[in-house]
């Protein structure tokens, strides 16, 4: 296939399901659009990219994704501005990160042209599905999984790359309180924590259920050695504000290099907010909370955008965060969403037109 | 469903594929039998257990297994003795371990009755598929995956439990040499390493490919902190013989509690072989190799049975193992397979008749 001239054929649905959807009360990630993009890796190359009606996937029971969790994904959003123009936010970063994940999971990399042309063709096909109600957007889920067969713990010989879309409302409803994890871990040194690998998420479900049973919404992961340093949350990187300083953990092979995280770091620099990217001890959070210098804790991610955290739990105690006017979280949320929805200038070149 | 009287309906294939298979040259895990067992968790309970023709699975693209790697499996074998009787080896240990994995992965546990009756019904249906050529057996793959839908990183509301079977030859062809891993890791403290969770395997593929490119067949994993202690291999627990002492690492939340491993420990006790279950430093292996006391290294697992290791690589050097007559590995292999194939007494009650 000549990648310089990728042409993506589109097979349209006979009847759109769009009229069945209440766009003013959208849940997160449950409603799907009419179409999906699909492409298959077979005989050593990615083949047959196309947009087709959203439809079930048929797989042999020995497909390796079922057994060895050989699967990676991305999370992106498309935004519609008041003039109906469609925008993505730093999509090439997601494309690059998908391939970083692919490499670590022994999945063949997806050529940039296929990713970008597939995505654009799909978005143009389903552009009427992009919601415009405040706080809503089109969540986009590119994923690649091992569709090749065999009960043998080794990489598959066939992979399927799909992009699906879901018009979605906010990820969290209400305040977010987090538990700082002291027992379970998300990632090992030398492991796959930096990749958006399926298994990283399944491993979080049980500890998160335990946290939820105690009244939290998310877990903040810590290092697996001594649970001494905070790392990130289930689907968000974590920021801390102590005094006026903004802190976040450095990325590593255990932490996802979030697009929202790095955008916030750039905005902070732009606004002259003193920032430190360094390891953050749990003890430091607790002490700052006790002496009143802990001003904010917030999560940052494509799905959750910027989500203020109202309290954290640690060693059986709850630490409340103050309710600030004009918080860093609210400032960053506004600046990022203004850029995403084309309501403000885009000095960094993050906005990407779908046309 | 009343579990005390589980009845498993069987829908048979119209035409068996059995005559197309060369039972004297079986690969591992590639040929599948005519039928499979399937059962679905829905509305809070396991429902509709049945044996059906082996067939593709149809799933929504948002099925959580594709995104979050929420999947677990087991590996077992069925053996046919010279009189045509069919045997399993400690199947209840696999059933129990599946549920240990299930709990950690937030997957609903599979009731013992469904597992055991499903397995027996399937084996009776496909008993003609159990190979009898030396070194071959019917590999059995029970697995449970999240078939419920939604682009939201949280447990699914629907799961599928399948048992499939593959008449198989040996797992390894030829000698096995291993690389002791110094960079990558398989599992974190507090992670899911002790579970047969899909993601544990996908994460091993890339480091294993790197090892293969350097002429090894498998990686021996070490702790993720300092790569100081050996843990286990990709699909085998690891045993070491120094002098006449048998050593193996203790199980932990990073290491799979292998059925073969614990069977070997019991056989060693039975035979009066001095045994130590303790952490093993890589340095100790290297020193023992250098001073000539390192007699054996072998892997133990259902698929690989007992597989002698001929050399190990560490810090760019290769250490060869001697080629012993009457090695522990060959003794254990003989004792275990004699029990499995009903060629010897079974003092431990490990053999389980399928009838
Ligand atoms: C584990 C994890 N950390 C952080 C993030 C945030 O990354 P991004 O801002 O690129 O969405 C996500 C979500 O994508 C995630 O899954
Ligand atoms: C990671 C791992 N370790 C060890 C083993 C050996 O366990 P068992 O002897 O129960 O097959 C397996 C295979 O099942 C495995 O996948």
């Amino acid at each position: 296939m000549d990648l310089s001239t990728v042409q993506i054929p589109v097979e349209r649905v006979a009847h759109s399901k769009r009229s069945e959807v209440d766009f003013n009360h959208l849940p997160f990630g449950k409603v799907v659009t009419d179409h999906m993009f699909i492409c298959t890796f077979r005989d050593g190359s990615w083949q047959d990219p196309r947009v087709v009606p959203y439809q079930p996937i048929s797989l042999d029971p020995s497909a390796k994704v079922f057994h060895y969790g050989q699967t990676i994904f991305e999370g992106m959003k498309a935004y519609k501005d008041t003039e109906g123009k469609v925008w993505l936010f730093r999509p090439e970063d997601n494309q690059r990160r998908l391939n970083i994940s692919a490499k670590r999971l022994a999945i063949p990399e997806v050529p940039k042209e296929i990713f970008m042309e597939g995505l654009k063709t799909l978005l143009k096909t389903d552009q009427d599905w992009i919601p415009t109600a405040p706080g809503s957007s089109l969540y986009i889920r590119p994923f690649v999984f091992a569709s090749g067969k065999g009960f043998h713990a080794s990489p598959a010989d066939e992979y399927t790359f799909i992009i699906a879309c879901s018009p979605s409302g906010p990820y969290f409803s209400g305040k977010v309180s987090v538990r700082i994890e002291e027992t379970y871990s998300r990632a090992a040194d030398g492991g796959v924590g930096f990749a958006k690998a399926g298994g990283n998420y399944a491993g979080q479900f049980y500890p998160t259920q335990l946290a939820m049973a105690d009244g939290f919404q998310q877990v903040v992961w810590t290092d697996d050695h001594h649970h001494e340093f905070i790392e990130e949350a289930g689907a968000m990187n974590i920021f801390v504000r102590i005094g006026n300083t903004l802190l976040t953990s450095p990325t590593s092979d255990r932490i996802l290099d979030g697009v929202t995280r790095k955008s916030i770091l750039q905005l902070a620099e732009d606004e002259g907010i003193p920032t430190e990217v360094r390891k953050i001890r749990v003890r430091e959070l607790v002490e700052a909370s006790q002496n009143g210098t802990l001003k904010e804790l917030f999560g940052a991610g494509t799905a959750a955008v910027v989500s203020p955290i109202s309290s954290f739990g640690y060693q059986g105690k709850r630490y409340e965060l103050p309710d600030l006017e004009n918080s860093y979280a609210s400032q960053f949320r506004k600046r990022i969403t203004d850029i995403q929805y084309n309501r403000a200038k885009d000095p960094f070149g993050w906005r990407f037109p779908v046309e």
Side-chain angles (χ1 to χ4, degrees), chain A:
Chain A
M1 186 167 56
D2 178 1
L3 292 179
S4 61
T5 58
V6 182
Q7 285 292 330
I8 315 276
V10 177
E11 182 198 332
R12 287 187 173 270
V13 291
H15 300 284
S16 172
K17 297 170 307 221
R18 193 176 165 284
S19 63
E20 297 161 25
V21 175
D22 177 359
F23 280 80
N24 289 314
H25 299 90
L26 287 167
F28 190 92
K30 287 199 173 153
V31 176
V32 293
T33 63
D34 284 329
H35 300 88
M36 66 190 202
F37 171 76
I38 187 165
C39 185
T40 310
F41 183 91
R42 188 183 290 137
D43 303 328
S45 71
W46 286 101
Q47 302 186 4
D48 201 14
R50 60 205 192 281
V51 168
V52 296
Y54 186 90
Q55 61 191 272
I57 306 164
S58 175
L59 288 173
D60 193 87
S62 77
K64 297 205 179 198
V65 64
F66 294 129
H67 305 273
Y68 309 121
Q70 200 186 7
T71 178
I72 54 172
F73 68 98
E74 271 302 325
M76 315 168 66
K77 282 178 175 171
Y79 312 88
K80 200 173 249 182
D81 69 19
T82 48
E83 282 167 26
K85 275 195 74 171
V86 177
W87 302 93
L88 291 162
F89 185 73
R90 311 185 76 172
E92 287 161 336
D93 291 356
N94 296 93
Q95 185 274 322
R96 249 192 315 267
R97 191 170 64 187
L98 183 76
N99 282 344
I100 291 172
S101 300
K103 186 170 177 203
R104 183 60 182 86
L105 274 295
I107 290 174
E109 294 179 28
V110 175
K112 181 172 176 182
E113 294 76 8
I114 290 183
F115 184 99
M116 293 304 296
E117 289 308 311
L119 178 58
K120 285 194 271 182
T121 308
L122 176 62
L123 288 175
K124 278 183 252 177
T125 310
D126 278 342
Q127 59 181 309
D128 289 348
W129 284 86
I130 304 174
T132 51
S136 63
S137 59
L138 188 76
Y139 183 73
I140 303 167
R141 173 55 61 85
F143 60 110
V144 190
F145 62 92
S147 41
K149 301 192 275 188
F151 299 117
H152 193 286
S154 53
D157 58 4
E158 187 195 293
Y159 296 85
T160 302
F161 171 42
I162 289 177
I163 309 178
C165 297
S166 172
S168 291
Y171 193 75
F172 291 114
S173 48
K175 293 197 166 186
V176 182
S177 68
V178 296
R179 168 138 88 193
I180 299 188
E181 186 60 47
E182 296 160 60
T183 306
Y184 296 100
S185 307
R186 178 182 174 279
D189 286 339
V192 301
F194 67 96
K196 273 185 93 80
N200 287 339
Y201 296 80
Q204 298 183 58
F205 291 169
Y206 176 66
T208 304
Q209 284 180 334
L210 296 180
M212 288 177 133
D214 287 343
F216 302 95
Q217 279 76 51
Q218 287 259 307
V219 167
V220 170
W221 298 101
T222 48
D223 63 287
D224 80 309
H225 299 201
H226 306 291
H227 301 289
E228 204 177 333
F229 298 99
I230 65 165
E231 308 224 296
E232 62 171 323
M236 311 187 290
N237 294 106
I238 293 289
F239 284 85
V240 181
R241 173 178 171 187
I242 295 181
N244 283 330
T245 303
L246 185 69
L247 299 167
T248 194
S249 310
T251 54
S252 71
D253 61 3
R254 294 188 311 274
I255 298 184
L256 193 80
D257 185 4
V259 175
T260 317
R261 173 185 174 281
K262 69 182 176 189
S263 303
I264 287 178
L265 287 175
Q266 204 162 333
L267 289 172
E269 192 187 328
D270 188 55
E271 293 178 13
I273 292 174
T275 300
E276 294 176 18
V277 177
R278 62 160 171 85
K279 292 176 118 190
I280 303 166
R281 274 182 212 279
V282 183
R283 222 184 27 227
E284 196 177 345
L285 283 196
V286 169
E287 284 170 8
S289 172
Q290 286 167 341
N291 68 27
T293 55
L294 183 66
K295 300 294 180 202
E296 293 182 52
L297 210 53
F298 57 91
T302 298
V305 198
V306 178
S307 287
I309 291 166
S310 57
S311 74
F312 70 90
Y314 181 62
Q315 293 187 337
K317 278 190 69 177
R318 273 228 196 211
Y319 299 85
E320 301 292 330
L321 275 292
D323 203 357
L324 293 193
E325 294 267 303
N326 199 26
S327 63
Y328 284 176
S330 63
Q331 291 174 46
F332 290 132
R333 185 185 187 90
K334 178 161 185 345
R335 278 208 70 183
I336 286 189
T337 53
D338 280 353
I339 293 174
Q340 288 168 336
Y341 288 88
N342 192 25
R343 294 188 295 245
K345 285 236 173 71
D346 175 24
F348 311 104
W350 290 340
R351 212 157 43 213
F352 185 99
V354 177
E355 54 196 10

